[in-house]
């Protein structure tokens, strides 16, 4: 902008030493973007079910293959991690969990919780579906 | 900014008050933040309710999907989840675009693409759910 004063820029990402809370913020955004495109998976699956037995067999076969199941496992982890990250934001919105110990604990609980819940989910699916 | 409001040396003659007039929050500054939280809450509640529905549909044949979705409550929960999710997706991706895309033209195109994508995904999913639920 002509005539605008040269202002100092605030330090960017690469200036800081990587920290857990910072990584969790980045992962929250990455999982959000992944889920944005990942929503196509259930929507295409539903569209196939609404179209024809052949279309459903194709899509269901792809999702049920080893690669498909790995992608679905990743999708479910991203969803759970992003959801727990959202809960963490709710905690912060109410003014709690900003202390040095509390925020580290919340970050670790989000990682641990997302891994445990994802594994638990797939155990439940395996048990229910035989 | 028009050049007529500048002195020959290039400094702006506008007062600080004039510069910010009309550029403030217009009382909608927290709207985006708030909608992100409301849809996030709806997503969490609806995903938990939808989980048993999705598990009962998944892993079987097409008939398992069709018979589950013919129940109005199952279809309604998935419709609400899809609506809340695609809205959350749209305003979430909007923030990501605004953070990383600084060229004005590309940014506007990306924001329009974001709107098109999320509405198309939401409409396609809603159509599939309704078609199955209505027995089509």
């Amino acid at each position: 902008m002509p005539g605008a004063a040269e202002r100092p820029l605030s330090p960017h990402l690469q200036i800081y030493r990587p920290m857990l809370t910072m990584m969790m913020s980045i992962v929250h955004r990455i999982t959000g973007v992944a889920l944005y495109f990942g929503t196509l998976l259930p929507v295409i699956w539903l569209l196939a079910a609404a179209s024809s037995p052949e279309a459903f067999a194709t899509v269901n076969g792809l999702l049920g293959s080893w690669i498909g199941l790995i992608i679905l496992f990743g999708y479910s982890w991203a969803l759970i991690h992003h959801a727990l990250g959202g809960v963490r934001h709710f905690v912060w919105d109410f003014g709690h969990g900003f202390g040095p110990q509390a925020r580290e604990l919340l970050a670790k609980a989000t990682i641990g919780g997302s891994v445990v819940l994802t594994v638990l989910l797939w155990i439940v699916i395996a048990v229910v579906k035989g | 900014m028009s050049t007529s409001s500048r002195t020959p040396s290039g400094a702006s003659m506008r007062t600080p008050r004039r510069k910010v007039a009309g550029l403030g929050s217009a009382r909608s500054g927290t709207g985006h933040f708030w909608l992100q939280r409301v849809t996030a809450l709806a997503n969490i509640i609806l995903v938990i309710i939808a989980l048993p529905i999705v598990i009962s549909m998944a892993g079987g044949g097409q008939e398992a999907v069709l018979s589950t979705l013919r129940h109005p409550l199952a279809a309604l929960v998935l419709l609400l989840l899809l609506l809340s999710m695609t809205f959350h997706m749209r305003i979430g991706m909007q923030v990501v675009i605004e953070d990383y895309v600084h060229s004005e033209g590309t940014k506007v195109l990306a924001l329009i693409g974001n709107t098109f994508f999320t509405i198309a995904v939401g409409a396609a999913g809603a159509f599939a759910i309704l078609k199955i639920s209505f027995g089509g």
Side-chain angles (χ1 to χ4, degrees), chain A residues 35-96:
Chain A
L35 289 166
Y36 179 92
F37 295 104
T39 307
L40 283 172
L41 294 172
V43 166
I44 289 173
W45 186 65
L46 286 171
L47 273 177
S51 300
S52 68
E54 295 76 29
F56 183 79
T58 305
V59 172
N60 205 46
L62 284 174
L63 290 177
S65 68
W66 275 109
I67 293 175
L69 286 175
I70 288 169
I71 291 171
L72 285 177
F73 186 84
Y75 174 78
S76 65
W77 173 77
L79 189 70
I80 291 169
H81 193 276
H82 195 79
L84 291 181
V87 171
R88 204 163 55 111
H89 273 280
F90 279 133
V91 173
W92 284 333
D93 288 345
F94 285 95
H96 304 294

Side-chain angles (χ1 to χ4, degrees), chain A residues 1-4 7 12-13 26 28-30 32-40 42-57 60 72 75 79-80 82-84 86-87 89-90 92-93 121 124-126 128-129, chain B residues 1 6 10-12 33 36-38 40-41 44 47 51 54-63 65-66 69 78 82 85-86 88-90 92-93 95-96 99-100 113-115 117-118 120-122 124-125 127-129 131-132 136:
Chain A
M1 196 182 290
R7 296 177 196 285
H12 213 325
L13 218 55
I26 294 168
H28 188 72
R29 180 159 280 200
I30 291 173
V33 172
L35 289 166
Y36 179 92
F37 295 104
T39 307
L40 283 172
V43 166
I44 289 173
W45 186 65
L46 286 171
L47 273 177
S51 300
S52 68
E54 295 76 29
F56 183 79
N60 205 46
L72 285 177
Y75 174 78
L79 189 70
I80 291 169
H82 195 79
L84 291 181
V87 171
H89 273 280
F90 279 133
W92 284 333
D93 288 345
L121 171 70
V124 168
I125 292 172
V128 170
K129 295 290 165 184
Chain B
M1 198 177 285
R6 297 185 173 282
S12 176
F33 170 93
Q36 197 79 61
R37 297 309 192 270
V38 171
L41 181 64
I44 289 175
V47 159
L51 194 62
V54 173
I55 289 178
S56 85
M57 288 196 303
Q62 189 189 15
E63 194 45 49
V65 181
L66 301 186
L69 277 183
L78 291 194
L82 194 66
M85 247 185 188
T86 46
H88 190 82
M89 278 159 58
R90 186 184 166 201
M93 184 56 82
V95 173
V96 173
D99 277 355
Y100 302 128
N114 179 39
T115 302
F117 179 81
T118 49
V121 168
F127 174 77
I129 293 167
K131 180 169 185 272
I132 294 168

Side-chain angles (χ1 to χ4, degrees), chain B residues 1-2 14 18 44-45 48 61 66-67 78 89 103 112 126-127 131:
Chain B
M1 198 177 285
S2 85
R14 292 182 179 204
R18 178 71 187 86
I44 289 175
I45 294 169
I48 291 170
L66 301 186
S67 61
L78 291 194
M89 278 159 58
S103 139
I112 293 172
F127 174 77
K131 180 169 185 272

Side-chain angles (χ1 to χ4, degrees), chain B:
Chain B
M1 198 177 285
S2 85
T3 47
S4 61
S5 66
R6 297 185 173 282
T7 63
S9 65
S12 176
M13 281 162 42
R14 292 182 179 204
T15 62
R17 170 72 178 78
R18 178 71 187 86
K19 274 184 181 166
V20 298
L23 298 173
S25 77
R27 292 178 187 82
S28 63
T30 53
H32 197 278
F33 170 93
W34 184 248
L35 269 178
Q36 197 79 61
R37 297 309 192 270
V38 171
T39 51
L41 181 64
N43 282 344
I44 289 175
I45 294 169
L46 289 166
V47 159
I48 291 170
I49 301 173
L51 194 62
I53 301 172
V54 173
I55 289 178
S56 85
M57 288 196 303
Q62 189 189 15
E63 194 45 49
V65 181
L66 301 186
S67 61
T68 305
L69 277 183
R70 287 214 175 93
H71 196 289
L73 272 180
L76 188 62
V77 166
L78 291 194
L79 272 177
L80 288 174
L81 176 60
L82 194 66
L83 185 75
S84 172
M85 247 185 188
T86 46
F87 206 93
H88 190 82
M89 278 159 58
R90 186 184 166 201
I91 56 181
M93 184 56 82
Q94 184 193 330
V95 173
V96 173
I97 292 168
E98 286 166 351
D99 277 355
Y100 302 128
V101 184
H102 299 306
S103 139
E104 197 62 25
T106 317
K107 183 172 81 184
V108 170
L109 276 179
L111 290 173
I112 293 172
N114 179 39
T115 302
F116 284 1
F117 179 81
T118 49
I119 291 179
V121 168
F127 174 77
I129 293 167
L130 288 174
K131 180 169 185 272
I132 294 168
S133 192
F134 292 153

